[in-house]
Amino acid sequence: NGKEDARIIFESLAKAGPDFIHITEYDATRPAFDDGETLTELAKRYTHVPVIANGQLGEPAKAEELIANGKADVITLGKSALANPSWPKRVMEGEPVEEFDFSILQPQAYIKEHEL
C-alpha cells in the first residue's frame, strides 16, 4: 500500500530530525495515491516539520491553494521561475505569468563517439 509506505518513510525521516522536507512531484496538487491526499499532505502529517512543495506550481492559483489549505508551507518553482524571474512580484501585482518556452533548451548537444 503506497500510503502506508509513505507513512513509514516520513515517520523514519522525522526521526532523523530534519528542519524541513522538500517534495518534488510532476504535479504537487494531485493525489499521491488513490485516496486524494497529496504527498505534501502526507509529509506534513507524518513529519510535523515545514514542507516545501514543487511541481507544476507556476499557476498562482495552484500554488496559493496548497499554501492556503495547509498542504504545504512553502512552494518552489522551476520552469516558471525561468520563464518569469520576477514571478512573486508579478503575482503580487496581478500581472499574468508567462509559460515556459522549451525552445530555450535547444539545440540539444550530443557527444559524438569520437569525442569521448
Side-chain angles (χ1 to χ4, degrees):
N1 174 331
K3 191 172 176 179
E4 179 62 15
D5 291 343
R7 181 189 66 76
I8 292 167
I9 291 167
F10 288 131
E11 285 180 348
S12 297
L13 283 171
K15 289 177 186 173
D19 292 322
F20 63 89
I21 302 286
H22 187 168
I23 305 286
T24 298
E25 294 192 276
Y26 176 75
D27 184 341
T29 64
R30 299 209 59 121
F33 306 104
D34 294 333
D35 70 351
E37 290 181 287
T38 66
L39 201 54
T40 58
E41 288 176 284
L42 294 168
K44 285 185 65 66
R45 180 184 321 153
Y46 296 121
T47 64
H48 308 291
V49 298
V51 173
I52 302 168
N54 178 273
Q56 301 293 319
L57 297 175
E59 183 182 314
K62 288 175 77 171
E64 184 177 2
E65 187 272 332
L66 276 182
I67 300 293
N69 292 327
K71 296 177 181 179
D73 300 293
V74 176
I75 64 122
T76 61
L77 302 173
K79 296 184 302 269
S80 294
L82 291 172
N84 302 276
S86 61
W87 189 91
K89 182 178 184 253
R90 292 181 91 136
V91 171
M92 286 175 42
E93 294 177 358
E95 295 178 16
V97 293
E98 301 294 324
E99 291 289 321
F100 181 72
D101 180 5
F102 281 91
S103 71
I104 69 169
L105 302 176
Q106 301 298 325
Q108 290 184 347
Y110 295 97
I111 297 174
K112 298 172 185 77
E113 188 66 34
H114 73 273
E115 295 173 322
L116 297 175

